[in-house]
Amino acid sequence: VPLMGERPPLRLPPVTRLIPASLVWAVTWIAMIGLDHRVDLANLAMLLVLASAIATLWLPIGASLLCTALSVLAFNWLFVPPRHAFSVDLRQDALLLGAMLAVSWIVAAVVARQRVLAESARRHAQRAEQLRGLGEALRDADDAAQSSLVLRTVLAELLGVPPKMLLLRDTLPPDDDAAATVLIGEPTPHELTGMWHCVRQARPFGPGTGHHAELQEWYLPLRARHAAFGAVSVALDSDPPDDTLRLQAQALCDQLGTFLQRTQTQRAAHAARDHAQAQGIRNALLAAISHDYRTPLAAIMGAASSLCEQGDRLATGQRQRLAQSIVDQTMQLSRLTENTLQLARLDGSGVQLRLDWESAEEIVGTALRHARSRDSQRRVRARLEPAVPLVRCDALLLSQLLDNLVDNALKYSAAPTPVELLVRRQSGCVVFAVRDRGPGVEPAWRERIFEVYQRGEHRAHDSDGSGALARRGAGVGLAVCRAIARAHGGELKLRVRAHGGASFECWLPEAVPPSVEPDEGRPGTA
Amino acid sequence: MSLAVLLVEDDRELRTMLRDALVVEGFEVFTAVSLSEGLALLGGLADRAGQRGPGIDLVLLDLGLPDGDGEALLAALRKRHSIPLIVISARDSDGEKIRLLDSGADDYLVKPFGIGELLARMRVSLRHRGTRLAPAVTRYEHGALSIDLASHAVRLAGTAVHLTPTEYKLLARLVRNAGQVVTHRQLLADVWGANYTEHTHYLRLYMGQLRAKLEADSTDPQRLLTEPGVGYRLAEASD
């Protein structure tokens, strides 16, 4: 990050500064001696005043005043009659010499003053630029460690030595616990104590601060509005420390303090939001589990207890029906459990898919075989577009996805209408679509239906045709379908069909399967 | 003489239920609750019944036993005997299930399963008993399809079906284990060779061709069944 550091003023070093000044004086004296007797005294005097003004640009004020005074004396000695004597005609030349000296001194003083002001303005601008640069660098910084290194670089440029730093990882610990901090620059135990003190008091220590002026270091807190988030320690050399430098360093430190406070606040907000979200999901999950699991459990409990307690009084047909109900409900519970577990697995990070080259025909065939065992009226039909390529996927997961979609379609469409399982190629994807002629999905629910444990309010076509208010959506079922599609780099979409009904479509990106060596030789059978 | 079954299952409810159901079907049932007990029982029974082979006719092995991997028991069993072994697994143990099938288990059932399904699998496995010594199954009939491995004849409704050599090898491999699952790895190794065990796309292609020739509706197969993620199963022959 490019930063504006405190540069040394653009002045020449003292010795080299003398060169242009001496040159000016030398040229002036040569000119004056050369012009002697050709022009009158007042003109020569003007040359001297001019030289004095120009030389002042390079010389410090004291030297400038001294040079001018000596020059006036020499002028008097060489040019003012009586020559080669310091005596002066009081009526004629005293005024000239006096005015010369006064004008030169005033010019020198004004120029010097101007130079100091310009220098100070430049330093102010540079420090303001430094603050702005740090602010910008902090905006780009990702974390506390990076931002503190940025500050360290800036302070090193400002003060000439890189400071030692102590940063709190989180809130201030009750005792000076090193584990709660990040230390930069290997501070000595003495400096560490000083920095802890500085953090706890949230105020600077050291020469010029009004506290512990005897110290050989400055301790500057990284302050935010209410507290310090760390401290820096700056070793001082023997020079009397510059207060403006310390104030600038403190301003830079405070900027980092504010940044650290902001990141801490953001962290806390994130944590709170994540917590609330996790809480929300857990509550929805528990609510759905209590609903989805209780229904089949109640049916199983009823049938089993009836068999247990009244078994000998029931007719064979009744017993058979109860037993069948237990088998059916158990299968449903089993599927529900499988879906819930799968969803938890896919939600977790680092899920490992068992990817292989799978045939769409086989996956559809498996789904159809599973559906047949549950769909006594054989409403499910399948159709594959010719030449669908092999799909790179986890066959078990994709079977589970299609099983869920077919289950859902059977559940929400009336008995005589068919449920279709179609496979087609479209825009670089292989699309597995499960279509029904049920009531469809309300617009407001078309996206939410995929969220975990969301259910749409709908009149379902129950097998008895009562059309009682039921809820569209398989709860965990569609959520796990979408999770499976996404785990494959695909998507699960809901399309509304033109003449009623819904089409749930799993889009999986096409891939190029490896080639197969052609079958050689003669046929195996005649 | 009734057939003897060794049931290795750690869950008490399931163990009791299965034992009772098998006893009703006329099996003699030995139960073990752990791997070590299963191994001990296997050894003891084998010694006891010197007069008729290993002394048990079929093993039902639950994965996820408290004291170790089912693989150890299968390895111990396969060292000396070709007794059928059926794996009972929860969905979580897919990987181990396939490993066991590849190293010689006969079939698998995913919990929860119905007793009818279990009995059907046991029946198939018992029928194949001894296939490792001599190919017992050489003829296969299923509806209109008839296959005779001895004469290389495949007929559908009386008409000869033309198969390529690879298609025929693949079909014959499935016929030899009709009714049982054969894993991808086993099929690839036996039909194409040991270097091809990862080339499942070969299987997809040739199974598709077989279905096109032997099934009425290849999207709704009745004979060449897919076990997703595991392998293929030729439907049990209809007698």
Side-chain angles (χ1 to χ4, degrees), chain A residues 334 338 345 354 356-358 361-362 365-366 368-369 372 384 396 399 514-517 519 522-525, chain B residues 91-92 94 98 112 152 160-166 196 200-202 204 206 211 218-220 226 228-229 232:
Chain A
S334 165
E338 197 56 50
R345 225 174 276 149
R354 293 156 49 98
D356 205 341
W357 292 105
E358 302 288 348
E361 186 179 89
E362 289 176 4
T366 308
L368 215 51
R369 185 151 55 93
R372 289 283 152 76
L384 259 90
L396 274 175
S399 292
S515 60
V516 173
E517 291 165 26
D519 195 6
R522 62 190 172 72
T525 54
Chain B
R91 194 70 174 268
D92 294 340
D94 280 332
I98 294 170
H152 276 218
V161 182
H162 172 95
L163 296 181
T164 68
T166 308
Y196 285 79
T200 34
H201 57 285
Y202 276 68
R204 310 293 175 214
Y206 283 96
R211 274 194 301 269
S218 56
T219 57
D220 190 8
T226 310
Y232 294 92

Side-chain angles (χ1 to χ4, degrees), chain B:
Chain B
M1 185 149 192
S2 65
L3 294 167
V5 174
L6 171 61
L7 170 63
V8 188
E9 164 66 64
D10 62 328
D11 182 76
R12 194 163 58 87
E13 287 292 325
L14 192 56
R15 191 173 63 240
T16 313
M17 191 277 290
L18 285 176
R19 192 193 57 211
D20 291 352
L22 292 175
V23 167
V24 167
E25 294 294 321
F27 291 100
E28 185 185 357
V29 183
F30 300 91
T31 57
V33 299
S34 65
L35 193 64
S36 48
E37 197 184 344
L39 283 168
L41 216 46
L42 205 60
L45 287 170
D47 291 344
R48 180 205 71 162
Q51 75 276 17
R52 63 169 187 100
I56 44 174
D57 302 282
L58 188 137
V59 179
L60 294 176
L61 176 64
D62 174 37
L63 296 183
L65 291 165
D67 60 343
D69 247 342
E71 261 172 314
L73 192 138
L74 179 69
L77 184 71
R78 282 288 170 263
K79 242 181 249 167
R80 282 186 290 172
H81 311 296
S82 61
I83 321 168
L85 180 144
I86 297 178
V87 172
I88 303 171
S89 81
R91 194 70 174 268
D92 294 340
S93 40
D94 280 332
E96 199 186 350
K97 181 173 76 193
I98 294 170
R99 264 207 316 283
L100 282 175
L101 286 171
D102 278 336
S103 47
D106 289 73
D107 214 330
Y108 74 96
L109 272 172
V110 176
K111 290 176 186 174
F113 52 82
I115 198 76
E117 214 177 342
L118 173 65
L119 292 172
R121 295 289 163 81
M122 288 172 64
R123 203 166 52 239
V124 170
S125 292
L126 287 168
R127 189 181 303 152
H128 282 285
R129 187 167 45 157
T131 47
R132 262 160 255 276
L133 302 173
V137 181
T138 56
R139 288 191 60 80
Y140 175 84
E141 303 270 347
H142 187 281
L145 176 67
S146 81
I147 302 167
D148 185 354
L149 295 188
S151 64
H152 276 218
V154 179
R155 288 175 175 278
L156 192 58
T159 318
V161 182
H162 172 95
L163 296 181
T164 68
T166 308
E167 287 168 3
Y168 179 77
K169 268 163 85 180
L170 181 57
L171 181 64
R173 179 65 186 81
L174 287 168
V175 166
R176 276 195 280 278
N177 281 76
Q180 290 180 309
V181 68
V182 188
T183 64
H184 297 136
R185 181 177 279 272
Q186 289 168 344
L187 285 173
L188 287 162
D190 291 351
V191 176
W192 280 273
N195 293 337
Y196 285 79
T197 50
E198 302 299 323
H199 292 45
T200 34
H201 57 285
Y202 276 68
L203 274 180
R204 310 293 175 214
L205 182 78
Y206 283 96
M207 287 303 292
Q209 291 174 7
L210 278 179
R211 274 194 301 269
K213 291 178 182 181
L214 303 179
E215 296 281 3
D217 175 0
S218 56
T219 57
D220 190 8
Q222 305 301 312
R223 300 173 181 122
L224 297 159
L225 309 177
T226 310
E227 297 286 333
V230 179
Y232 294 92
R233 184 195 298 276
L234 187 65
E236 204 183 338
S238 54
D239 303 312

